[in-house]
Amino acid sequence: MFIQRLISGAVLVVIMAACLILGGDALWTFCMVAAVIGFYEMVNATGVLAKEKKFKNELFISGVFCVVGYYVLLACTVGHSFITLPKEVDASMLCITFMMLLILVIYVLTYPKYHANQIMATCFSVLYAPVMLSYVYLTRCLENGIYIVWLIFVSSWICDTAAYCVGVLIGKHKMAPKLSPKKSIEGAIGGLVGAALVGCLYGWILGKMGVMEVSNFAAYPIIAAAGGLISMIGDLAASAVKRNYDIKDYGHLIPGHGGILDRFDSVIFTAPIIYYLSVFILK
């Protein structure tokens, strides 16, 4: 089991790293495929599919259409497509508006086939992984995005690792006993400190490489710590959904790790934070 988990994790890291380095269409494709799979895992977990086959479920089909459409619009927005959206059009808002209209039309036309809870779960599933995960691609498209995008993964995974180590060593006070009994306040603090220190080191390295200005050095530990903080919330939020629906994993795509939502639960939350902090702080 450990070997299987190690191999599958290594393969995933190599694929993801290659896409992050290449950026452009490669990363766009990776994020879109992960988004579609993440959407499927969430609607499956929340009972939208129920006992009906996914390709006979209008909500599932419309959701996939919205996710793919969103990524196409996203490519148009950042200029990696032969179509250019007007500057007044925001891809996210256009997708959300169209998604709401489409799903409500299906709800009305098929009534009473679907319950209101399934409608709301479908909307949530489109926003949760697909839209949030797209900020990995958007961050990579920023100026110096090839360097900034790594903060998404550094802050979330370093925070998780540091939190685990500190929690095992000195953790006594439970942070969320009903959601994750093993997580401690001491571990959380250790995770934030670890993320900030690695962010500081990363900023120093970029400074030595001449990638960033010296005046921006302090921004990196701040961004990394903020990313680490929100990554813990993301991890707990994913656990809360699983507990509500009494499931162990969202999927089985990645042997030993579960599904896309199991592996990227913290990254999904961290990506938007890193993007906006980078836009506002790293000017």
Side-chain angles (χ1 to χ4, degrees):
M1 182 64 180
F2 173 76
I3 298 298
Q4 183 187 53
R5 180 182 174 88
L6 183 64
I7 294 173
S8 61
V11 171
L12 178 63
V13 168
V14 169
I15 294 173
M16 187 181 65
C19 291
L20 289 173
I21 293 170
L22 292 171
D25 293 337
L27 183 58
W28 178 83
T29 302
F30 177 85
C31 289
M32 184 177 68
V33 171
V36 171
I37 296 172
F39 169 74
Y40 166 72
E41 290 176 352
M42 184 57 76
V43 293
N44 188 49
T46 54
V48 173
L49 296 181
K51 296 180 180 180
E52 185 181 33
K53 292 183 179 179
K54 54 182 176 292
F55 295 116
K56 291 184 179 180
N57 187 297
E58 293 89 348
L59 291 180
F60 174 75
I61 295 171
S62 63
V64 171
F65 179 78
C66 288
V67 171
V68 174
Y70 168 69
Y71 275 84
V72 171
L73 291 174
L74 202 62
C76 298
T77 302
V78 297
H80 290 289
S81 174
F82 59 88
I83 301 173
T84 303
L85 290 179
K87 63 180 181 179
E88 296 83 5
V89 177
D90 180 86
S92 298
M93 291 308 300
L94 179 58
C95 171
I96 293 169
T97 303
F98 180 78
M99 172 195 69
M100 290 295 296
L101 292 173
L102 177 60
I103 291 175
L104 286 175
V105 166
I106 290 173
Y107 182 40
V108 170
L109 294 181
T110 60
Y111 190 85
K113 182 177 180 180
Y114 299 108
H115 192 274
N117 289 342
Q118 292 175 295
I119 301 300
M120 290 182 281
T122 302
C123 293
F124 172 77
S125 299
V126 170
L127 297 175
Y128 179 65
V131 174
M132 302 272 275
L133 199 58
S134 70
Y135 281 93
V136 173
Y137 173 69
L138 288 171
T139 303
R140 178 62 176 80
C141 291
L142 293 173
E143 183 180 1
N144 291 324
I146 190 172
Y147 304 106
I148 299 171
V149 71
W150 296 98
L151 284 173
I152 296 173
F153 303 91
V154 167
S155 60
S156 58
W157 291 347
I158 291 297
C159 179
D160 184 59
T161 302
Y164 174 79
C165 293
V166 174
V168 169
L169 291 174
I170 60 172
K172 293 181 179 180
H173 302 87
K174 303 300 182 184
M175 183 171 68
K178 292 185 178 180
L179 267 181
S180 187
K182 294 183 180 180
K183 293 186 184 299
S184 65
I185 295 175
E186 292 84 356
I189 295 172
L192 293 179
V193 172
L197 289 175
V198 173
C200 186
L201 176 62
Y202 189 64
W204 179 79
I205 293 172
L206 293 183
K208 287 292 184 180
M209 293 171 58
V211 174
M212 55 164 276
E213 297 179 6
V214 177
S215 59
N216 285 334
F217 174 75
Y220 284 84
I222 294 173
I223 292 173
L229 176 62
I230 200 67
S231 73
M232 290 188 284
I233 303 299
D235 181 48
L236 290 172
S239 297
V241 174
K242 287 192 284 188
R243 286 186 179 275
N244 281 160
Y245 289 95
D246 195 26
I247 57 174
K248 184 178 184 295
D249 294 313
Y250 283 105
H252 307 284
L253 178 67
I254 310 169
H257 293 270
I260 288 293
L261 297 184
D262 296 296
R263 182 64 276 175
F264 290 96
D265 51 2
S266 57
V267 170
I268 287 171
F269 272 62
T270 307
I273 297 300
I274 298 298
Y275 173 81
Y276 286 113
L277 285 177
S278 299
V279 168
F280 288 116
I281 298 177
L282 296 178
K283 294 183 179 179

